[in-house]
Each structure stands twice: as C-alpha cells, then as structure tokens.
Amino acid sequence: CADRLAATSDVLVLVDRDERALGEAATALGATGPRIVPVTLDVTDATAVQALADQVAGLGDLGGIAHAAGISPTMADWRPVIDVDLVGTALLIDALTPLVTRGTAMVCFASMAAHLMGLAGPTDPTIDAILDDPRAPDLLERLQAATGAAIEDPGVAYSYAKRGVQR
C-alpha cells in the first residue's frame, strides 16, 4: 500500500510502532520519489496520535489515509488485539478527520475474519453497541461481560475488533 502511495504522493507519512522496521521501509520507499516522513507511533496512544495529526496538518492538504495497523491473533493476548485493531483505528480516525477536505480518501483495513466467524450479519445488538463505542474507557470490560470467556481467545477478539472497524 505504501509503495503504491509513494508513487502518487508529494509527501508520504509512513507510520509504524517498530522504529527499525519503519526506518527500513522508509529507506526502501525513499527511492520511489516522494518525500518520506517516518513517524514512530503507538496507535493506542491518543496523545501521540493527536501529535501525528498535528504534524500531518503542517505538511499540506491531506490527500488520503491508508490505515493498516493491526495485531494478528498469533501476536498478542486479546486485550492488545482489541486496543490496536479497534481502539487505535478509532483514535486515528478521530484525530485525522478534522484534516479531511473535498477529495480526501480514508481507507481502514479490516479483515475477512468477521465474515468467516459469522459476525458480518446480524449479531447481538448489545455487542454491536459496544463495538460502536471503541473509545469508551470500559470497552474491554463491557465486551468481556457481553461475550463471556470467548473474547479471551485472541482469534475471537480479532474478529470482533475487525467487525468494529467494518462498522
């Protein structure tokens, strides 16, 4: 995604939590043309995400956002999966939406996981209401109360987080 955007952007802000991987990606993309602005960021840190938005605002018009951050079920416990995949997405959308102008495109990558687990259609309206409010301070507790122990499986958490992104 970054490679394609690099070919069509004057400035490409490249964000990753892993500073080393970010540096390698920025170096690799730097040869394709645009000015690359690497930013090390934990998408679950609301203050850092707002600082990113402030930095982006200073770079000119926001042409587009391609948000692909996520933790797979094999990478972490259920809580970080929800925090990064759902809450981090909401924080980023909140911070960058004020910069959106006519013609700006925003894409947040989700997953087929919600469809594969049967979550794409009607589900429990209580769970959907919880997923629709990912910035609630008691999100994890409410989600656990509504789903029971099932949410503690990182694969199930991933599916619910990605359903929230889709919603």
Side-chain angles (χ1 to χ4, degrees):
C1 191
D3 190 43
R4 286 196 179 230
L5 290 172
T8 61
S9 302
D10 295 327
V11 177
L12 178 65
V13 178
L14 191 63
V15 180
D16 199 303
R17 184 177 185 167
D18 181 335
E19 189 171 5
R20 183 187 56 74
L22 175 64
E24 290 171 5
T27 299
L29 290 169
T32 62
R35 192 174 90 198
I36 304 295
V37 179
V39 177
T40 304
L41 174 76
D42 176 351
V43 75
T44 66
D45 180 341
T47 302
V49 171
Q50 185 56 55
L52 170 68
D54 294 342
Q55 182 177 2
V56 168
L59 295 172
D61 291 339
L62 178 61
I65 301 144
H67 174 62
I71 295 178
S72 78
T74 62
M75 296 171 66
D77 179 64
W78 71 277
R79 290 172 189 89
V81 169
I82 297 289
D83 282 341
V84 171
D85 294 6
L86 178 58
V87 178
T89 299
L91 292 173
L92 190 72
I93 289 170
D94 287 351
L96 294 176
T97 294
L99 306 179
V100 169
T101 61
R102 184 173 180 86
T104 301
M106 183 182 300
V107 176
C108 296
F109 287 70
S111 172
M112 294 287 296
H115 297 283
L116 297 174
M117 290 197 58
L119 301 179
T123 63
D124 184 331
T126 301
I127 295 172
D128 282 345
I130 294 166
L131 295 173
D132 289 346
D133 189 16
R135 290 164 301 294
D138 61 345
L139 170 71
L140 295 175
E141 293 81 12
R142 290 174 57 220
L143 196 53
Q144 189 173 35
T147 62
I151 195 69
E152 295 173 20
D153 177 311
V156 172
Y158 181 83
S159 294
Y160 277 114
K162 295 305 183 173
R163 176 170 172 81
V165 170
Q166 290 170 355
R167 291 180 58 80

